[in-house]
Amino acid sequence: MTRIPRPYARLSAAAGLALAAATLGVAAGALGGGPPALFKADPDATTQARIGYFPIPLALAAKKPAGITKEPAYRAAPKYAVIRLGNGPRSAVFIAVDEPADSDYRIYVDANQNGDLTDDGDGAWSKKVDRNGRVMYGVNSYKLRASYGARGRETASAPYGLSFYRFVAPDRLLYYRTGARVGQVTIDGKAHKALLVENDADALYNKPVTDADKAGDARPVWLLVDLNDDGKYASGPVDIRAPFKLADRAYEATVTPDGSKVALAPTTKPVADLRPKPKPVLADGTVAPDFTAQKWGGGDLKLSDYRGKVVVLDFWATWCGPCQRSMPHVEKVWKAVQGQDVAVLGVCVWDEKPAYEKWVPENKDKYTFQFAYDPAGRSDSSIAGKLFGVSGIPTTFVIDRDGKVAAGIVGYDDGDTRVEDALRKLGVKIEEPK
């Protein structure tokens, strides 16, 4: 399941000494005795690989941070924020937002991190208005610099990408990482391309597990490996903050704070389940809220139009890896129930419309059930979150002929039959496709 945002988490205490040594510039050795793999910083890696992200809310304040030395001519009282990339002495990135009531907003990001907000561009911020009249600014992307070191001394730096966007209502600025580390890992004697991704958007990759994981409120550090060497990260993501399973073996990872060195070693320790804990969705027996989405092929898709039929309602997104892995199963269900007054609806949520409009035609030969797009896009007003209580995707609802929820199914694993089981309880026959 791909989760929509939560707070912080970190790595195992066993790796702490090695990571502390790496922070001070001492090379980290592999747990198994071999050298660590070297990973290169790429500020656009997750965008290019279409890896999902965790939007992070950023608080804005009226007080100017002490590190800002020069500012543009604002048209309204500015609001400020500071983001830190890395653990070094030059990690601060200053941000100012100019939001006049009578003209378009501007955002100033100190991309060169010199304290001067006048030499990083004119602050232009693209403005969009969706069909429901909601105003959105962004997405603005920046190539920044992460700083690493200890005791006030910088020992390393690396390029790092961030993107910012903002909905006028609710009043908050959101951002997410576009950067990652790219390298290779060796599994069973063979090297494979790999991607190291942290999801706190702070350019730190050595986070241990904390109590936040018990509540399901931690963001993972992902390792994705192209095990098939076909340009696709079919193995992941796996969360490497604790022992994990990769290619049918358990491993531990030692990672330097900047993510430049990654060492994997086989382990006999139990594999940790750090997957986000499902949040409650609509309870069985609840009347499913009506909604209107943009129907693929034209017109509106209204849930109430399907009253009298059994409905399989699948919430997904183009960037969501687990959603993509569940899609063949949704199609299999659709083929198994045709002719029985059952509708299968795939509603794309928390996504950009251009990505959706590109994805559906590219996959029209594989998936034949009805698709629709949530016009709320990436906003907090999404159909899935606001109406159905969904906090992560894929989430699938089976709705009975009276419009009541028969089952709310969070996530998907290979061999999962929860949708079929719920349909059978409603008297639907599951026919294996011929």
Side-chain angles (χ1 to χ4, degrees):
M1 181 184 71
T2 294
R3 193 100 170 282
I4 312 302
R6 288 288 165 203
Y8 283 72
R10 306 182 315 199
L11 230 198
S12 76
L17 293 176
L19 296 177
T23 303
L24 296 174
V26 179
L31 295 176
L38 301 180
F39 276 59
K40 181 180 178 181
D42 183 339
D44 296 314
T46 59
T47 300
Q48 294 170 355
R50 295 185 61 78
I51 305 300
Y53 62 81
F54 290 67
I56 301 173
L58 182 61
L60 299 169
K63 184 178 180 180
K64 182 174 72 173
I68 296 179
T69 59
K70 191 174 181 180
E71 299 180 84
Y74 301 118
R75 297 158 298 165
K79 299 175 183 177
Y80 301 96
V82 180
I83 291 174
R84 296 197 175 273
L85 300 178
N87 60 2
R90 299 181 59 193
S91 62
V93 178
F94 301 110
I95 299 160
V97 177
D98 183 14
E99 302 181 341
D102 56 353
S103 59
D104 290 349
Y105 294 178
R106 291 185 179 273
I107 181 171
Y108 300 94
V109 177
D110 186 19
N112 57 16
Q113 290 161 284
N114 64 352
D116 183 351
L117 294 175
T118 69
D119 62 358
D120 301 286
D122 61 6
W125 208 355
S126 59
K127 179 181 179 181
K128 300 178 182 178
V129 181
D130 68 18
R131 62 181 292 181
N132 295 320
R134 285 185 294 266
V135 178
M136 172 186 175
Y137 283 91
V139 172
N140 278 19
S141 298
Y142 300 86
K143 290 181 175 61
L144 305 171
R145 178 184 182 276
S147 172
Y148 304 95
R151 300 176 183 174
R153 176 174 171 265
E154 184 174 89
T155 57
S157 65
Y160 190 82
L162 287 180
S163 287
F164 297 85
Y165 63 102
R166 185 209 190 296
F167 291 97
V168 173
D171 183 14
R172 64 178 180 176
L173 183 65
L174 296 156
Y175 71 106
Y176 60 91
R177 52 96 185 102
T178 61
R181 287 276 183 170
V182 181
Q184 289 185 333
V185 295
T186 300
I187 305 294
D188 296 329
K190 186 176 181 181
H192 304 276
K193 184 179 178 181
L195 196 66
L196 182 65
V197 181
E198 60 83 19
N199 288 291
D200 285 317
D202 61 5
L204 290 170
Y205 296 84
N206 64 327
K207 300 179 175 78
V209 175
T210 67
D211 288 342
D213 289 276
K214 297 177 182 178
D217 289 336
R219 299 190 188 101
V221 176
W222 284 336
L223 181 69
L224 299 94
V225 183
D226 182 8
L227 285 175
N228 298 324
D229 301 318
D230 59 0
K232 300 177 181 178
Y233 295 109
S235 71
V238 292
D239 190 343
I240 64 170
R241 296 172 299 133
F244 59 93
K245 191 174 183 180
L246 186 63
D248 297 323
R249 295 184 69 181
Y251 291 89
E252 279 190 290
T254 303
V255 185
T256 54
D258 64 356
S260 65
K261 296 171 184 173
V262 179
L264 304 186
T267 183
T268 58
K269 294 180 181 179
V271 172
D273 184 3
L274 299 179
R275 290 176 299 179
K277 309 301 185 294
K279 300 296 180 182
V281 294
L282 286 184
D284 294 357
T286 304
V287 175
D290 196 16
F291 63 83
T292 300
Q294 296 171 0
K295 188 176 183 180
W296 182 261
D300 289 335
L301 183 150
K302 294 186 67 176
L303 183 60
S304 56
D305 289 342
Y306 294 86
R307 187 65 61 88
K309 293 186 177 184
V310 173
V311 176
V312 177
L313 174 62
D314 184 63
F315 291 117
W316 66 285
T318 63
W319 49 261
C320 167
C323 299
Q324 302 305 313
R325 289 195 291 276
S326 75
M327 279 288 178
H329 176 249
V330 178
E331 177 69 12
K332 181 181 177 181
V333 169
W334 167 232
K335 289 181 177 178
V337 301
Q338 289 184 18
Q340 300 186 67
D341 268 347
V342 179
V344 176
L345 312 176
V347 178
C348 181
V349 297
W350 291 312
D351 211 340
E352 302 289 348
K353 193 170 184 181
Y356 163 77
E357 291 178 334
K358 180 175 184 290
W359 187 94
V360 176
E362 287 179 347
N363 292 274
K364 64 182 177 63
D365 295 331
K366 292 192 292 185
Y367 307 123
T368 58
F369 53 92
Q370 180 64 59
F371 286 106
Y373 176 75
D374 179 359
R378 292 189 179 276
S379 80
D380 291 340
S381 299
S382 73
I383 293 167
K386 185 175 181 179
L387 299 182
F388 284 79
V390 172
S391 62
I393 49 178
T395 291
T396 306
F397 290 89
V398 177
I399 301 169
D400 69 18
R401 294 174 178 83
D402 295 323
K404 296 180 179 179
V405 173
I409 298 161
V410 179
Y412 172 77
D413 293 309
D414 291 341
D416 199 330
T417 63
R418 289 176 292 172
V419 172
E420 290 94 325
D421 295 342
L423 289 171
R424 288 190 181 98
K425 289 180 180 179
L426 297 177
V428 177
K429 294 180 180 180
I430 307 298
E431 302 288 347
E432 288 295 326
K434 297 179 180 179

